[in-house]
Amino acid sequence: MVQVRTLPNSVALQHSTLEQWLRQLPMELDPADQERIGRAAEDLKNSHGAPTVATADWAGESDPFAVGLEILQILSELRLGADALIAGLLYRSVREQRVTLEQVDTALWCAGQQSA
């Protein structure tokens, strides 16, 4: 069976639209996890123009933010936790070195970090 997912346009995505999109995910998130995922998505969106490392495969032609949202959608259908959703969201950008592992480790939305 083919399932069509509605993903927001990553270029035009505004914070309120992202919040609405997160609320319609197939799993219910507690407010703290929804906020963490939202912060991670905002950071990812802001890294969109960062230099990238060529991956020499078909994936280099797609938008890592849109791909991250699609992965997040799929993982939420599997009812995985917030940390897994964030990892899926960031995977492509970390792979292309738009976001470094050091940035992930120190981010407020990272597991184990306290929000201010």
Side-chain angles (χ1 to χ4, degrees), residues 5 18 23 33 37 50-52 54 60 64-65 67 74-75 77-78 84 86 93-94 100 102 104 108 110 112 116:
R5 293 177 179 86
L18 177 61
R23 281 194 296 271
D33 285 341
I37 294 168
T52 182
F65 183 60
V67 170
I74 292 167
L75 295 177
E77 290 169 6
L78 296 172
I86 291 171
S93 289
V94 170
T100 67
E102 291 76 24
V104 172
L108 288 177
C110 185

Side-chain angles (χ1 to χ4, degrees), residues 34-45:
Q34 185 170 337
E35 182 178 338
R36 287 178 52 221
I37 294 168
R39 284 184 185 177
E42 285 295 321
D43 286 352
L44 180 57
K45 183 172 73 169

Side-chain angles (χ1 to χ4, degrees), residues 7-67:
L7 294 175
N9 179 333
S10 65
V11 175
L13 189 63
Q14 299 298 317
H15 189 70
S16 62
T17 304
L18 177 61
E19 286 176 354
Q20 291 170 353
W21 187 79
L22 287 172
R23 281 194 296 271
Q24 64 82 34
L25 288 173
M27 67 179 285
E28 194 169 324
L29 296 167
D30 68 51
D33 285 341
Q34 185 170 337
E35 182 178 338
R36 287 178 52 221
I37 294 168
R39 284 184 185 177
E42 285 295 321
D43 286 352
L44 180 57
K45 183 172 73 169
N46 293 335
S47 73
H48 183 69
T52 182
V53 171
T55 57
D57 62 13
W58 60 269
E61 297 176 12
S62 58
D63 175 8
F65 183 60
V67 170

